[in-house]
């Protein structure tokens, strides 16, 4: 039996230009969503799916991420002395979460290039990639389902989500064939940010992938594509074109809640949605929100 998958890679080295100036001195993955940085939700999701070996691919300003998952002795002892046990627990939560590793990307040459930086750490086994600014609501299962499909098919599995046709030009978009499972499709083609009207479907690629190690050799040979960046989509297309390389590419169609915190509007929606659902904030926030909306 194959060894269960245990490694997750979180690319977090992008420039975050859509969020300037907030991201001038801080990675966008550290922007707080209610009271936790976006990347903590992503690490929690990986751990929840059984992947406790987490490699973060960092860029400039990497220390903020590194520090967040490390111990802060002065803060811990101050909280302890003041008897603030609950706060101490919250602070320690991110420290004990996973077995964290870091690698630098150097220049942000694209998502494909960031994934390639994980090669030494991952070695010759399948692994998951979770984009550090993409939050999947913990109440809606995605990664666990993708791992199940990977195990069953021995293939690459990507996450797809139906989006409005007016939005497809912002995503990688898949051409697909149905399988005998309602939420699983066979991916026959992929196009990165297609021009409006030329998209092969409304199924957009979202930030979760389970990749076979063969992807590294392909990425090594992948020339810069759209935007001068080494695109993961181009490597996935090579894998989708030839099932003999690593079993082809399947898509799990996700119908749950997802928040793209790298986009300003989605970031605001994420905070409002997650906060209204929280037992400590929701009861005060919901009536205020209703009044506010009524006054618009
Ligand atoms: P994005 O395209 O959303 O990131 O990449 P970006 O380039 O930082 O965003 P904008 O458009 O300038 O605002 C998706 C994910 O891939 C990572 C990003 O950190 C993000 O999690 N990424 C992207 C890298 O790690 N390295 C890269 O070279 C590019």
């Amino acid at each position: 039996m194959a060894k269960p998958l245990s490694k997750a890679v979180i690319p977090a080295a992008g420039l975050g230009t859509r969020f300037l100036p907030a991201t001038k001195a801080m990675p966008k993955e550290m922007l707080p969503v209610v009271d936790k940085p976006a990347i903590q939700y992503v690490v929690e999701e990986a751990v929840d799916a059984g992947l406790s070996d987490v490699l973060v691919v960092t860029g400039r300003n990497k220390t903020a991420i590194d520090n967040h998952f490390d111990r802060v002795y002065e803060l811990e002892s101050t909280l302890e002395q003041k008897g603030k046990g609950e706060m101490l627990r919250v602070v320690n939560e991110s420290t004990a979460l996973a077995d964290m590793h870091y690698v630098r990307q150097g220049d942000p040459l694209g998502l494909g290039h960031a994934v390639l930086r994980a090669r030494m750490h991952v070695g010759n086994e399948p692994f998951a990639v979770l984009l550090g600014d993409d939050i999947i609501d913990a109440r809606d299962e995605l990664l666990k389902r993708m791992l199940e499909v990977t195990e069953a098919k021995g293939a690459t599995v990507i996450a797809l989500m139906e989006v409005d046709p007016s939005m497809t030009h912002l995503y990688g978009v898949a051409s697909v064939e149905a399988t005998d499972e309602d939420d699983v499709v066979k991916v026959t083609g992929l196009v990165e940010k297609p021009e409006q009207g030329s998209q092969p479907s409304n199924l957009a690629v979202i930030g979760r992938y389970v990749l076979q190690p063969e992807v590294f050799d392909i990425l090594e040979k992948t020339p810069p594509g759209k935007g001068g960046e080494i695109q993961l989509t181009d490597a996935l297309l090579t894998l989708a074109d030839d099932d003999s390389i690593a079993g082809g590419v399947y898509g799990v169609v996700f119908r749950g809640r997802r928040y793209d915190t790298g986009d300003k509007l989605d970031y605001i929606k994420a905070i409002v949605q997650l906060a209204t659902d929280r037992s400590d904030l929701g009861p005060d926030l919901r009536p205020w929100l209703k009044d506010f909306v009524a006054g618009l």
Side-chain angles (χ1 to χ4, degrees):
M1 231 179 74
K3 212 172 108 193
L5 222 121
S6 63
K7 291 180 183 163
V9 173
I10 303 183
L15 292 178
T17 52
R18 282 169 296 163
F19 239 114
L20 283 168
T23 48
K24 188 178 168 194
M26 180 176 69
K28 65 176 166 181
E29 290 77 6
M30 282 302 291
L31 289 171
V33 179
V34 188
D35 52 7
K36 277 192 290 195
I39 194 168
Q40 187 174 336
Y41 291 86
V42 177
V43 174
E44 284 169 358
E45 180 192 338
V47 171
D48 197 39
L51 313 181
S52 55
D53 178 322
V54 176
L55 175 75
V56 184
V57 183
T58 59
R60 66 204 172 98
N61 308 323
K62 91 166 209 141
T63 39
I65 297 180
D66 201 335
N67 287 344
H68 181 71
F69 292 102
D70 206 348
R71 297 196 63 176
V72 196
Y73 293 102
E74 314 88 287
L75 179 63
E76 288 172 32
S77 67
T78 307
L79 292 175
E80 210 166 328
Q81 278 162 23
K82 293 192 169 171
K84 303 208 163 169
E86 175 53 18
M87 283 182 193
L88 185 62
R89 187 193 62 75
V90 167
V91 164
N92 286 336
E93 222 169 46
S94 60
T95 319
L97 202 52
D99 185 8
M100 301 295 296
H101 305 269
Y102 301 91
V103 64
R104 289 301 283 257
Q105 186 180 9
D107 291 324
L109 300 177
L111 178 56
H113 182 256
V115 170
L116 195 50
R117 297 291 297 132
R119 184 172 203 163
M120 280 279 277
H121 182 81
V122 167
N124 195 28
E125 43 185 279
F127 62 105
V129 172
L130 295 86
L131 298 193
D133 57 349
D134 218 340
I135 295 181
I136 299 295
D137 198 301
R139 295 163 291 184
D140 300 325
E141 200 164 277
L142 173 60
L143 190 56
K144 281 185 199 154
R145 178 69 182 134
M146 292 174 74
L147 295 176
E148 262 171 37
V149 175
T150 303
E151 202 171 300
K153 310 272 188 204
T156 298
V157 176
I158 62 177
L160 298 172
M161 194 163 184
E162 207 164 309
V163 296
D164 191 86
S166 64
M167 302 296 281
T168 46
H169 67 287
L170 300 172
Y171 293 89
V173 178
S175 346
V176 300
E177 284 168 4
T179 69
D180 49 14
E181 288 173 286
D182 169 54
D183 63 334
V184 181
V185 289
K186 176 89 167 67
V187 175
T188 55
L190 283 165
V191 38
E192 186 61 33
K193 303 191 170 73
E195 286 193 15
Q196 211 116 59
S198 71
Q199 68 271 26
S201 74
N202 290 344
L203 289 174
V205 179
I206 57 169
R208 299 293 179 268
Y209 312 80
V210 183
L211 302 175
Q212 300 293 327
E214 285 81 354
V215 74
F216 292 128
D217 277 345
I218 297 169
L219 282 170
E220 296 270 15
K221 292 186 215 124
T222 302
K226 221 164 208 173
E229 297 191 337
I230 297 174
Q231 299 284 354
L232 181 60
T233 308
D234 291 341
L236 291 171
L237 184 57
T238 306
L239 288 165
D241 271 347
D242 185 352
D243 285 5
S244 71
I245 305 176
V249 179
Y250 288 82
V252 166
V253 182
F254 180 61
R255 299 188 174 100
R257 289 158 282 193
R258 168 207 175 233
Y259 315 100
D260 174 8
T261 65
D263 173 80
K264 273 184 242 183
L265 188 60
D266 244 32
Y267 173 76
I268 294 164
K269 288 181 190 171
I271 294 177
V272 173
Q273 287 191 44
L274 290 170
T276 45
D277 287 345
R278 284 225 334 214
S279 59
D280 56 340
L281 297 168
D284 289 334
L285 181 59
R286 277 192 298 268
W288 176 83
L289 205 53
K290 275 190 194 143
D291 283 352
F292 178 70
V293 171
L296 284 180

